[in-house]
Amino acid sequence: MISKRLSIFFIIFYVATAVGNPFLPFFNKLYKTHQLIENKNFTEAKKSIFILKSKKDSSESILWYDLTRIYLHENKIDSAFIISDKALSVAIQQFQNQGKAKQIAKRYHLNLNDFDSLFAQQVEKAYLINRNTNPDKIATNGSGLNQKEINQQFIRLFKTKLNFFQFRDSILKKSGVSKVQSFSPKSNTLLTNCIFHLELTQDTLNFHSVIQTNSIEAYKEYLKDYWKKVESSTNLNYQIHQLNFFKIIEDSLYNLAYISTIKTNTENAFLQFAKDYPRAPQKDSALNHAESIAYLEAKSVNNEAQYNYYLSKYPKAKHKDQVEYLLRYLNVIPVPYLTKDLKYVFVDSASSETWTDSFYDFAYPYASKYHKKWYANGSMLMPGCALVMKLDEFATPEFYYVEKDGSRVNKNSYDEIIQFAPNMAFVLKAERYGIINSLGNEVLPCKFQRIYFDTSLGIGAVFNGKYWGFINIAGKLITPLQFSGILASKLTFTVNADIIELPKLLIPVSLNNLWGYIEANGQVAIDYKYKQAYPFKNGVALIESNESKWFYINRFGDVVSKEYDNIQDHENGFCKITKIIDGKKKIGILAKPFRGFIHQLNVNAKQLNELSAQFNLPLTPENLRAEFKEIIPPIHEEVWYTVNDFFTGYAVKQKTGFALYDTAGKAINKNPIQNINVQAQKLFVAKEKKQLKWFNPKTKTMSTNAVDEISILTDHWLGGLNKGVWNIYTMDESLVNITNEKGNIYKDFEAVAPAEKEGFIIAQKKGLWGLINEKGTVMLDFKFLDIYFTDVPNQFIVRIPIQGNPEESTWGVYNGLTNKYIIDPVFEGMSYEDFSGYWLVPYNEKNAWLDSKGNLFAE
């Protein structure tokens, strides 16, 4: 009886399972789970399905189908993509069995196309998410890969799936499944499209990564790969897509290579550019530059062989006539000659015969040495040419260049020329500045109120009266004219055109009254969000926030120091910090980290020792400061500092006097020092009984010498006045013996002072000055009223009193080695920085040129 009832029960169960009767949820857990998902009860469904997943039900396609929908609900796209692939794969196997296919269709109202569509949906979502990801950011899935690498993974994955599905499609067609089950291979089409678009995306990412390198080699490699890809592809859309990138990279390559060639500025470099890049739009310009440089070089060498070389290499060049003219008059050296009419005309220096017919209101000699020596006045900018000046009808000077035959180099004329590099000069016209090169060409037209240029970086800053922008060495804008400030908010420029040192790391700029940083290519590196920002030094930059708090940031914009009410950055690796405590300013010293500094310089052991001596710190690789440190806390009324070759330290004001500290924050004097002061930021001095003492870095005490007055002469020496006479001391109180070549000792000077040139001092005896070098040797004896250095070693322009009439004086040129006059001191005055090998001397209410042999070129 029992067995009969059980048989009836199993028969009912089998029929219910087959036809989908109302009792099925009670007996089939997969069906129950599926119904939970249909009713949006994903939490309960997930609990159930993970139990079934570990049992024999894992071979059922509906389990993987439903698990996909759970992951979709949880927005786990990566998991949904993998599981939907599994669902389709299992479904394809099951649907080859006609009975199983009909059972799934009847029970779950699904066919093979539903499984395919589910997988296709995940392909599309994975693709879209991939496309919307920022290419520059690291993936958040823990892989550490950038978007380009993830993109490549998707391409490989999609291609693998495509190949697998195409293989299964062939099996399904043979078995007739696609006909019976209404299977449309939607995944195949979608995968094919996604792969194509991902490849385009990959090319876009690759293009962006290459263009950002700003590298000639990277651009060349990209163009080389381009031809390989285009030749292997028959897809017209792909070729058009690639062509746009090709043109941009190609143009960027040409521009970058040409700028590099301009920096090199040699004939061979321009010829090589034209050879390497025959399709470049700059090719003709490069060839013209090469020819012009060859012409300048020929004039610089100024011999028959060089002129003939030029004519053979450039037989149809634009300077052919000038070169033939120079060949005919090879040995003639024209010089400006002052006439009785107070005009300048060029004459043959040997015969004084008139060379050209043109008269000028002023003229410089012809420049002959190409890039060997130059002056700020631009007189040597163009080898073989002379800078001349004429006054227009309004008595305004117009400067321009002329060839050796007197013809103008071009039609350009300027109000002023200021040379700032061997082959470049600022020019002024109508109160606007531009730039010309040594070929006389305008690199930048005269359109700007201010121009500053960094010759090492090949980048300049220009100001149009309202906004700043940056240019490259070719005179092209690399940023828009949009910045309200550059480098620092309180930066003041004393002249309108000058050389400048721009930061090597990031450049601080102001946009809409907020400061940030850009890279040298104009790209924003740190957003505009600060009240003030200063250039990076040793890897950190000083910042003032909009809340008027001061701190330091690193190159990524991260705050790396405490905040203070004010910070004064010092050049010696330290800074003065201020905190407002109870309404009063309290001062301290903050030591900046050496880690970035060392890393940036990549110093070796020897250099590390030099740093240790410079900063008075026990610097070793093990104990380098990695963080900011308050070596003197901001609790003091005043802190002063000194920097010299012997000692860098701080004087801290306390109730009983000043205490001295070294750069490690260690106190170095036991007893407080009264009335201390700092002189020229190089020396601590203290007043005792109306006399001055200075800090001796050797004894770490104030000097035993007491003097009436102190003069800082060099980083090593100081002058001390005592009882009306000056003597010279080292910082550690040693008296410097001043001697001449004969061994005579000099002391008790009437005055001492730093010389015009660093490393020298001048001293006075009996009202006359002598010159002393850093070894303590007298180079020029004490017989001059004035001493000036020239660009030739041991040649000095000097002024001496006239015998019998000490109120009058004359000028000449003196040789310090021979102790003889090169130019006798017979002139009322003498200019010494105008043109190499010549001097200007007053003559007939104007100035006439005087050569190195003493020949005066004037009537």
Side-chain angles (χ1 to χ4, degrees), residues 274-288:
K275 179 181 178 182
D276 292 343
Y277 310 105
R279 297 174 60 244
Q282 300 92 341
K283 176 186 175 182
D284 290 342
S285 178
L287 292 173
N288 288 334

Side-chain angles (χ1 to χ4, degrees), residues 104 216 352 626 633 696 802:
I104 293 173
I216 291 176
S352 293
N696 184 327
I802 296 177

Side-chain angles (χ1 to χ4, degrees), residues 671-687:
N671 301 316
I673 302 170
Q674 304 295 324
N675 303 316
I676 202 168
N677 210 326
V678 62
Q679 192 157 337
Q681 297 298 340
K682 289 184 178 294
L683 195 68
F684 287 133
V685 296
K687 200 166 190 177

Side-chain angles (χ1 to χ4, degrees), residues 685-739:
V685 296
K687 200 166 190 177
E688 292 184 13
K689 298 178 182 180
K690 298 183 179 181
Q691 283 196 309
L692 298 175
K693 291 187 175 184
W694 68 89
F695 178 74
N696 184 327
K698 188 174 183 179
T699 63
K700 294 184 171 54
T701 61
M702 301 309 287
S703 64
T704 55
N705 285 312
V707 294
D708 299 325
E709 191 176 337
I710 290 175
S711 174
I712 305 295
L713 301 177
T714 69
D715 273 349
H716 304 82
W717 293 351
L718 59 88
L721 176 67
N722 208 350
K723 297 180 180 179
V725 296
W726 289 86
N727 280 293
I728 301 171
Y729 301 89
T730 61
M731 296 289 184
D732 61 2
E733 295 190 70
S734 300
L735 183 66
V736 179
N737 288 322
I738 307 300
T739 61

